[in-house]
Coordinates of all heavy atoms in Angstrom, one line a residue:
A1 N 124.8 92.5 91.3 CA 123.3 92.9 91.2 C 122.5 91.8 90.8 O 121.4 91.8 91.4 CB 123.4 94.0 90.2
F2 N 123.0 90.9 89.8 CA 122.1 89.8 89.6 C 121.9 88.8 90.7 O 120.8 88.4 90.9 CB 122.8 88.9 88.4 CG 122.5 89.4 87.0 CD1 123.1 90.5 86.5 CD2 121.4 88.8 86.4 CE1 122.7 90.9 85.1 CE2 121.1 89.2 85.1 CZ 121.8 90.2 84.5
W3 N 123.0 88.7 91.5 CA 122.8 87.7 92.7 C 121.8 88.3 93.7 O 121.1 87.6 94.2 CB 124.2 87.5 93.3 CG 124.1 87.0 94.7 CD1 123.7 85.7 95.0 CD2 124.4 87.6 95.9 NE1 123.7 85.7 96.4 CE2 124.2 86.7 97.0 CE3 125.0 88.9 96.2 CZ2 124.4 87.1 98.3 CZ3 125.2 89.2 97.4 CH2 124.9 88.3 98.4
L4 N 122.0 89.6 93.9 CA 121.1 90.2 95.0 C 119.7 90.1 94.6 O 118.8 89.7 95.4 CB 121.5 91.7 95.1 CG 122.8 92.1 95.9 CD1 123.1 93.5 95.7 CD2 122.6 91.6 97.4
E5 N 119.4 90.4 93.3 CA 118.0 90.4 92.8 C 117.4 89.0 92.8 O 116.2 88.8 93.2 CB 117.8 91.1 91.5 CG 118.0 92.6 91.5 CD 117.1 93.4 92.5 OE1 116.0 92.9 92.6 OE2 117.6 94.3 93.0
S6 N 118.2 88.0 92.4 CA 117.6 86.6 92.3 C 117.6 86.1 93.7 O 116.5 85.5 94.0 CB 118.7 85.8 91.5 OG 119.9 85.7 92.3
D7 N 118.4 86.4 94.7 CA 118.3 86.0 96.0 C 117.0 86.5 96.6 O 116.3 85.9 97.4 CB 119.6 86.4 96.9 CG 119.5 85.9 98.3 OD1 119.6 84.7 98.4 OD2 119.5 86.7 99.2
R8 N 116.7 87.9 96.3 CA 115.6 88.5 96.9 C 114.3 87.8 96.3 O 113.3 87.6 97.0 CB 115.6 90.0 96.5 CG 114.3 90.7 97.1 CD 114.6 92.1 97.2 NE 115.5 92.7 96.2 CZ 116.2 94.0 96.3 NH1 116.0 94.6 97.5 NH2 116.8 94.4 95.5
M9 N 114.3 87.4 95.1 CA 113.2 86.9 94.4 C 113.0 85.5 94.8 O 111.7 85.0 95.0 CB 113.3 87.0 92.9 CG 112.0 86.4 92.1 SD 112.3 86.6 90.4 CE 112.2 88.5 90.1
K10 N 114.0 84.7 95.0 CA 113.9 83.3 95.4 C 113.7 83.0 96.8 O 113.0 82.1 97.2 CB 115.2 82.6 94.9 CG 115.2 81.0 95.0 CD 116.4 80.4 94.4 CE 116.3 78.9 94.4 NZ 117.5 78.4 93.7
Q11 N 114.4 83.8 97.6 CA 114.3 83.4 99.1 C 114.3 84.6 100.1 O 115.2 84.7 100.9 CB 115.4 82.4 99.5 CG 116.8 82.9 99.0 CD 117.9 81.7 99.2 OE1 117.5 80.6 99.4 NE2 119.1 82.2 99.2
L12 N 113.3 85.5 99.8 CA 113.1 86.6 100.6 C 112.9 86.1 102.2 O 112.1 85.3 102.4 CB 112.1 87.6 100.3 CG 111.9 88.9 101.0 CD1 113.1 89.8 100.7 CD2 110.6 89.5 100.6
A13 N 113.7 86.8 103.1 CA 113.5 86.3 104.5 C 112.3 86.9 105.1 O 112.2 88.3 105.2 CB 114.8 86.8 105.3
F14 N 111.4 86.2 105.6 CA 110.3 86.5 106.3 C 110.3 86.2 107.8 O 110.7 85.1 108.0 CB 109.0 86.0 105.8 CG 108.5 86.4 104.3 CD1 108.8 85.6 103.2 CD2 107.8 87.6 104.1 CE1 108.5 86.0 102.0 CE2 107.5 87.9 102.9 CZ 107.9 87.2 101.8
S15 N 110.1 87.3 108.6 CA 110.2 87.0 110.0 C 109.2 88.0 110.8 O 108.9 89.1 110.2 CB 111.6 87.2 110.7 OG 112.0 88.6 110.6
K16 N 108.7 87.6 111.9 CA 107.8 88.4 112.7 C 108.5 89.7 113.0 O 107.9 90.8 112.9 CB 107.3 87.6 113.9 CG 106.4 88.4 114.8 CD 105.8 87.7 115.9 CE 104.8 88.4 116.7 NZ 104.4 87.6 117.9
E17 N 109.7 89.6 113.4 CA 110.5 90.9 113.8 C 110.6 91.8 112.6 O 110.4 93.0 112.7 CB 111.8 90.5 114.5 CG 111.7 89.7 115.6 CD 111.4 88.2 115.5 OE1 111.4 87.8 114.3 OE2 111.1 87.6 116.5
G18 N 111.0 91.2 111.5 CA 111.2 92.0 110.3 C 110.0 92.7 109.8 O 109.9 93.9 109.4
L19 N 108.8 92.0 109.9 CA 107.5 92.6 109.6 C 107.2 93.8 110.4 O 106.7 94.8 109.9 CB 106.4 91.5 109.6 CG 105.0 92.0 109.3 CD1 104.8 92.6 107.9 CD2 104.0 90.9 109.5
E20 N 107.4 93.6 111.7 CA 107.0 94.7 112.6 C 107.8 95.9 112.4 O 107.5 97.0 112.6 CB 107.1 94.2 114.1 CG 106.1 93.2 114.5 CD 104.7 93.7 114.1 OE1 104.3 94.8 114.4 OE2 103.9 92.8 113.5
V21 N 109.2 95.7 112.1 CA 110.1 96.9 111.9 C 109.6 97.5 110.7 O 109.6 98.9 110.6 CB 111.6 96.2 111.6 CG1 112.4 97.4 111.1 CG2 112.2 95.7 112.9
Q22 N 109.4 96.8 109.5 CA 108.9 97.4 108.4 C 107.5 98.1 108.4 O 107.3 99.1 107.8 CB 109.0 96.5 107.2 CG 110.3 96.0 106.8 CD 111.3 97.1 106.6 OE1 110.9 98.1 106.0 NE2 112.5 97.0 107.1
R23 N 106.7 97.5 109.2 CA 105.3 98.0 109.5 C 105.5 99.5 110.1 O 104.8 100.4 109.7 CB 104.5 97.2 110.5 CG 103.1 97.5 110.5 CD 102.4 97.0 111.8 NE 102.5 95.7 111.9 CZ 101.8 94.7 111.1 NH1 100.9 95.1 110.4 NH2 102.1 93.4 111.3
N24 N 106.4 99.5 111.1 CA 106.6 100.9 111.7 C 107.1 101.9 110.7 O 106.9 103.1 110.8 CB 107.5 100.8 112.9 CG 106.7 99.9 114.1 OD1 105.6 100.1 114.3 ND2 107.6 99.2 114.9
V25 N 108.1 101.4 110.0 CA 108.7 102.3 108.9 C 107.6 102.9 107.9 O 107.6 104.0 107.7 CB 109.8 101.6 108.1 CG1 110.2 102.2 107.0 CG2 111.1 101.2 109.0
V26 N 106.7 102.0 107.5 CA 105.7 102.4 106.5 C 104.7 103.3 107.1 O 104.2 104.3 106.6 CB 105.0 101.1 106.0 CG1 103.9 101.6 104.9 CG2 106.1 100.4 105.1
I27 N 104.4 103.0 108.4 CA 103.5 103.9 109.2 C 104.0 105.3 109.3 O 103.4 106.4 109.1 CB 103.1 103.4 110.6 CG1 102.2 102.1 110.5 CG2 102.6 104.4 111.4 CD1 101.9 101.5 111.7
E28 N 105.4 105.5 109.7 CA 106.0 106.7 109.7 C 106.1 107.4 108.4 O 105.9 108.6 108.3 CB 107.5 106.5 110.3 CG 107.5 106.2 111.7 CD 106.7 107.4 112.7 OE1 107.0 108.5 112.3 OE2 105.8 107.0 113.4
E29 N 106.2 106.7 107.4 CA 106.3 107.2 106.0 C 104.9 107.7 105.6 O 104.8 108.8 105.0 CB 106.7 106.1 105.0 CG 106.6 106.6 103.4 CD 106.9 105.4 102.5 OE1 107.3 104.3 103.0 OE2 106.6 105.7 101.3
F30 N 103.8 107.0 106.0 CA 102.5 107.5 105.8 C 102.3 108.8 106.6 O 101.7 109.8 106.0 CB 101.5 106.5 106.3 CG 100.0 106.7 105.8 CD1 99.4 106.1 104.8 CD2 99.3 107.6 106.6 CE1 98.1 106.4 104.5 CE2 97.9 107.9 106.4 CZ 97.4 107.3 105.4
K31 N 102.8 108.9 107.8 CA 102.5 110.1 108.6 C 103.2 111.2 107.9 O 102.7 112.4 107.9 CB 103.0 109.9 110.0 CG 102.1 109.0 110.8 CD 102.6 108.8 112.2 CE 101.8 107.9 113.0 NZ 102.3 107.6 114.4
Q32 N 104.5 111.0 107.6 CA 105.3 112.2 107.0 C 104.8 112.6 105.7 O 104.7 113.8 105.4 CB 106.8 111.7 106.8 CG 107.5 111.4 108.2 CD 108.9 110.9 107.9 OE1 109.5 111.1 106.9 NE2 109.6 110.3 109.0
R33 N 104.4 111.7 104.8 CA 103.9 112.0 103.5 C 102.5 112.6 103.5 O 102.2 113.6 102.7 CB 103.9 110.9 102.5 CG 103.6 111.0 101.2 CD 103.7 110.0 100.3 NE 105.1 109.5 100.2 CZ 105.4 108.4 99.5 NH1 104.5 107.7 98.9 NH2 106.6 108.0 99.4
Y34 N 101.5 112.1 104.3 CA 100.0 112.4 104.1 C 99.6 113.2 105.3 O 98.6 113.9 105.1 CB 99.3 111.2 104.0 CG 99.6 110.5 102.6 CD1 100.3 109.3 102.6 CD2 99.2 111.0 101.4 CE1 100.7 108.5 101.6 CE2 99.5 110.3 100.2 CZ 100.1 109.1 100.3 OH 100.4 108.4 99.2
L35 N 100.1 113.1 106.5 CA 99.5 113.6 107.8 C 100.3 114.9 108.3 O 99.6 115.6 108.9 CB 99.2 112.6 108.8 CG 98.5 111.4 108.3 CD1 98.3 110.4 109.4 CD2 97.1 111.8 107.7
N36 N 101.7 114.8 108.2 CA 102.4 115.7 108.9 C 103.0 116.9 108.0 O 104.0 117.5 108.4 CB 103.6 115.0 109.7 CG 103.0 114.1 110.8 OD1 101.9 114.2 111.2 ND2 103.8 113.2 111.1

């Protein structure tokens, strides 16, 4: 658990593909929670 959290804090992986995947996830979350 310590390793996972420190790795996330120190060197989170940023990529264009990852951002788009998470963007779509959050948009769907917004729709489910607030609109649908």
Side-chain angles (χ1 to χ4, degrees):
F2 270 85
W3 164 66
L4 285 169
E5 291 303 327
S6 65
D7 183 67
R8 178 158 38 201
M9 185 178 289
K10 188 175 183 179
Q11 50 189 15
L12 185 68
F14 290 99
S15 68
K16 183 178 179 180
E17 294 78 13
L19 177 60
E20 292 310 313
V21 168
Q22 294 307 317
R23 189 198 309 278
N24 291 331
V25 169
V26 177
I27 288 175
E28 284 305 310
E29 179 185 346
F30 188 100
K31 290 178 179 177
Q32 289 179 18
R33 180 179 297 179
Y34 296 106
L35 304 182
N36 295 341

